[in-house]
Structure formats: C-alpha cells, structure tokens
Amino acid sequence: MARQRTFGKLPETKIRSAKGKARPYKLSDGGGLYLLVNPDNSKYWRLKYRIDGKEKVLSLGVYPVVTAAMARDEALEAKRKLKKSEDPVHSRRMERMARLGNSFYSVAEEWFSKQKGRWTSNHANRVWTSLEQDVFPTLGGRPIGDIKTLECLAVIRAVEDRGAIDVAGRIKQRMSSVFRYAVQTARIEFNPADQLHGVIATKKVTHRASLKSEALPDFLRALDRFSGQELTRLALKLLLLTFVRPGELRGARWDEIHTRSKQWRIPAERMKMKEEHIIPLSSQAIDVLKQLKKLTGKYDLIFPGVRSIRRPMSENTLTNAIRKRLGFNATAHGFRSTASTALNEAGFKPDVIERQLAHAERNKVRAAYNRSQYVKERSEMMQWWADYLEGLKGGADVVPIKSRPRSQ
C-alpha cells in the first residue's frame, strides 16, 4: 500500500542547491515540514504543527546528515502522535529522559510504578500529570544526585507564582517522595526537598460547607418536596443515610449491595485508601434502595448518568441540587461532617465513627482490629442515625441528641 503523499514537494536537487541569503528562509516540503536555510548555508529540517491551539516547531535534524526521506519519516511519525493527541516535542523530551537511567525522571517513573497500586486510578493519574506539568520540564532530565535544594525551591515558586498554593504543597511532597525513594535505593545520600519545610505560602483553609444540625429538619422536609429528578432525590437521601464520599455514591453498583446481610460493600479499587469499605444499611437505606431498584435495577450502576448508562451521574449533580434546587448553602461532601458532628455529640465511640467515615488508620494492627470488631457497633450506629433523621423530619427536637448515653 503506497504511503499518502503528505510530504515530498521539495525535489532533491532544490534541497541540495539551496544557498544562504541575507536572512534565514524556508523551503516548504508540505504538511508543515520545511527546510530552514541559514545565511551560513546550514540547513535544518523543521516540522510546524498545532496542538491545543498553540503553534509549535519540532526539530528533525541537519541536512545532509538527515536526508529528505529521513525527515519525512520523522514528520510522519510526529503526525501519528498528534493524531493520538500526543505532543511530539513533549514525547521526545520524555524519551530522552527515560534513556538517562539515573535522571530524576527515571527514578520518579520507578517510584511511581511501585506506589500507584496503593492509589485509585484517578489519584495516580493526578500524581503523574502534576509531575509531568510542573517538575519534569525543569528537573526531569537532570541526574538526580546533582539536583540542589534551590532547584527544588524554584519549581515550587513557579507553581506558587500562578496562585496554585495547594498544588505547590503537593508538588513539594511528591518531589520529596521521589528523592526519599532515591535515598532508599542508594542513588543519593541526601534528600534536597526535605529542607523546604515552611517555605510554601499558606492560605486560610476553607472547609466544604455542611448542614448544621438545626438545619436538618428543614432540609429533610425540603428533600421530600424535591421537584427535580427522582434519581437525584433518592441519591441525596442515600448519601445522607450513609454519609459516604459523593464519588463513592455516584460509582455505586448493584452488585455491591447485599440486602440479605444488610451491607453495602465498596471494593478497594473504588476507595480512596484502597481498602474495602463496609456500610451497614439501615432499614431506611434499604427502603431507598428498593425505590432505586425500580428506576435503575436493570443497569450495572445504581446512579447512571443522563447521557450514558455506563457512566455515573455528574459530580456536580448533587451539590447543585442542594444549593440551587433546595436552597441550602452546603455541599454533598459536607454530609460527612454533619453526620460526624451529630454522632460524636450523641456519644458514639470516635473510633467507630472514624471507621464508618473510612478514614485512614495508620497503625495496621489497630486498623485490622477495628475492621473486625466494629461491624456490629457500626450497624447499631447507622440505624440510630437513620431513626434520628426520621425523627427530625417528623418534628423531633435537635437538642436531646446530646443526652444519649456514651457507648461502652
């Protein structure tokens, strides 16, 4: 099969006979490929292309070391990468870094390959993308043992200068992790990023807005009158009853629900901490799931999106419903804080509450103990929480919550 003639406008005789002029000039070969002829008669192959709306130039070598045929092959390969939305200049830089066995890039790649199994795929993608965007362009090709603390600081300052203070903190942490791995694997003896404590500007922490206890009765009654999509209304009810993370709810699948044991088991790969999470289901949560079964029981996802049943509902759907439809200044994630505050005030054990929130336990022995010991206590707590919400909707006072005896 003959190759499509994208390039090849320049005859070999014209390339060979081209002479330098007072200023550099271009001879087009088609498809963005051209020969740049300089006043000193040197000739360089270049490929002009656009990606993400920006015009860029890829250097392909010097003629006659790189012949016209070689330049066209290189240009064609670059076009193939563009077809896959890959930037040829960026790809070449990454390939060059990969060939440098002791570069920051190669060590970071090795570190990432060992760490990503502990993370969700979304988090792993965010980690690697942040390194690609903010660290590799400056430090990627440098031998890791030659990188100084001030070079690490320059990377952080560049991120801070665009106002991304939170990102700067994460970049520092990830650089330090790569250097720490290099120390552990005997590439270097000193972690230059560890010297940067306190150098990042801080900003006031803004917590996700949550419902106050006194607003719960009005919210619950407003939710019963919700005029939007029934799937959204039921999603909000189940979210409040289980106080899982919104992303965990949106990705819920019917095969995770075990009605006989009254449990919702979220597999490790869908959890932030990469551990299976058990949510004991109250009788009210079971009732909501029965209503949902009539709507989406024929699908894999409990909360499929509007445009595709294979994708979960939009991440903005729930918070938009709370704020715009129901008129409350809160977020879907804020339900976790609402529940945590109420359950702590009610006297439930902090360890039981933290386990139900799926917060990390750093002590592995203690974490294993908590997982095995707290299922019964969590089941009782989740039913109490559902009954409490039901009572509030019916007009029960909020104050008596503090009078519940603390569990032994």
Side-chain angles (χ1 to χ4, degrees), residues 279-307:
I279 298 98
L281 296 170
S282 62
S283 56
Q284 290 88 339
I286 294 286
D287 182 60
V288 172
L289 285 163
K290 287 179 180 177
Q291 296 175 61
L292 284 164
K293 195 74 172 178
K294 297 175 183 177
L295 295 177
T296 64
K298 60 184 177 181
Y299 307 131
D300 293 330
L301 290 169
I302 300 178
F303 302 104
V306 174
R307 296 182 181 178

Side-chain angles (χ1 to χ4, degrees), residues 232-249:
T232 303
R233 186 183 75 84
L234 292 173
L236 287 171
K237 288 192 73 171
L238 189 61
L239 188 66
L240 188 53
L241 286 166
T242 60
F243 48 90
V244 295
R245 297 178 179 90
E248 293 158 7
L249 180 96

Side-chain angles (χ1 to χ4, degrees), residues 25-84:
Y25 66 95
K26 303 173 184 176
L27 296 174
S28 176
D29 192 59
L33 178 64
Y34 63 87
L35 187 72
L36 178 67
V37 184
N38 290 312
D40 62 359
N41 290 324
S42 59
K43 303 168 187 177
Y44 294 85
W45 291 107
R46 299 284 190 268
L47 177 68
K48 182 172 66 176
Y49 64 95
R50 298 186 73 85
I51 187 166
D52 297 331
K54 296 180 181 179
E55 185 175 287
K56 303 185 79 171
V57 175
L58 177 67
S59 299
L60 299 177
V62 183
Y63 178 84
V65 176
V66 176
T67 65
M70 293 165 65
R72 289 162 187 158
D73 284 343
E74 289 274 346
L76 188 61
E77 180 59 29
K79 293 277 187 177
R80 291 192 183 104
K81 289 179 179 177
L82 285 168
K83 192 74 174 175
K84 296 186 289 185

Side-chain angles (χ1 to χ4, degrees), residues 20 64 99 174 213 238-239 245 262 302 312 329 340 366 401:
R99 288 194 296 269
R174 288 162 190 170
S213 295
L238 189 61
L239 188 66
R245 297 178 179 90
K262 294 185 178 182
I302 300 178
N329 182 28
S340 177
R366 179 179 166 85
I401 186 172

Side-chain angles (χ1 to χ4, degrees), residues 70-134:
M70 293 165 65
R72 289 162 187 158
D73 284 343
E74 289 274 346
L76 188 61
E77 180 59 29
K79 293 277 187 177
R80 291 192 183 104
K81 289 179 179 177
L82 285 168
K83 192 74 174 175
K84 296 186 289 185
S85 299
E86 296 178 17
D87 186 343
V89 168
H90 181 71
S91 295
R92 177 181 287 181
R93 185 184 300 127
M94 294 300 104
E95 289 165 4
R96 186 183 303 122
M97 289 177 187
R99 288 194 296 269
L100 298 171
N102 212 32
S103 67
F104 182 90
Y105 177 88
S106 63
V107 177
E109 192 174 40
E110 187 178 320
W111 164 80
F112 179 76
S113 70
K114 295 183 182 299
Q115 296 297 318
K116 64 182 180 181
R118 300 171 51 243
W119 303 326
T120 63
S121 57
N122 285 341
H123 180 67
N125 288 336
R126 286 194 297 270
V127 170
W128 189 252
T129 299
S130 70
L131 293 173
E132 283 189 320
Q133 292 178 347
D134 294 316

Side-chain angles (χ1 to χ4, degrees), residues 186-202:
R187 265 88 161 209
I188 57 176
E189 296 181 357
F190 172 76
N191 184 340
D194 266 358
Q195 310 306 306
L196 298 176
H197 296 298
V199 301
I200 298 175
T202 58

